[in-house]
Amino acid sequence: MCSVLAVLLLAVFIVVAILLRNSHTGVVFEKSDQVAMIGIGVLLALGTMLFANARVRADATGIEVRNVITTRRFLWSDVLSVSFPDGASWARLELPEDEYFSVMAVQAVDRDRAVAAVRALRKLHKAATGS
């Protein structure tokens, strides 16, 4: 999804940049304006691709979650549970003091793979904590 959206964004900004000089609106657009439009498209496409960077790695001692920009590691003893609330876009780790951390690598649109991933994470959590 991220790749398709990134290509679409870039294509739209390139087309707009090309058509920018051909429109007769009374405003004078220069080549620098066209380059800037393409640059904005590139930046937005790269920003979109950051969402494809999500990852989760879990083992017997803990779980490492990389979302859009940040990466955090939690020991299983610090995690109360792994949940996937109704209507949520992705799974999350329930933490003490009513806090939680989203696991963007396990998304609702993945359906069966998301269910399998949450079950595997819960199994690791249960083996590590006994709860």
Side-chain angles (χ1 to χ4, degrees):
M1 292 294 291
C2 292
S3 300
V4 172
L5 183 58
V7 169
L8 183 67
L9 278 169
L10 190 56
V12 166
F13 275 85
I14 289 172
V15 168
V16 169
I18 291 169
L19 297 177
L20 206 56
R21 298 223 26 208
N22 297 333
S23 64
H24 302 289
T25 61
V27 179
V28 178
F29 291 106
E30 302 293 330
K31 287 228 184 260
S32 61
D33 298 315
Q34 290 177 298
V35 171
M37 287 301 288
I38 293 171
I40 291 170
V42 168
L43 290 175
L44 288 174
L46 290 173
T48 301
M49 290 306 294
L50 284 174
F51 287 94
N53 203 23
R55 178 183 72 203
V56 62
R57 289 183 177 167
D59 57 26
T61 60
I63 181 170
E64 180 183 271
V65 180
R66 180 174 65 194
N67 287 335
V68 176
I69 297 174
T70 61
T71 300
R72 291 208 35 206
R73 177 146 179 93
F74 300 95
L75 296 175
W76 284 122
S77 59
D78 297 333
V79 176
L80 299 177
S81 66
V82 178
S83 66
F84 209 126
D86 288 339
S89 296
W90 42 74
R92 66 188 196 183
L93 303 176
E94 302 293 339
L95 304 171
E97 299 181 18
D98 292 327
E99 292 186 32
Y100 65 88
F101 192 80
S102 297
V103 181
M104 295 178 72
V106 183
Q107 299 183 6
V109 295
D110 291 337
R111 293 192 174 99
D112 292 337
R113 289 189 305 178
V115 171
V118 169
R119 286 181 179 158
L121 291 173
R122 286 177 178 165
K123 184 176 178 183
L124 283 170
H125 180 258
K126 183 176 182 178
T129 62
S131 58

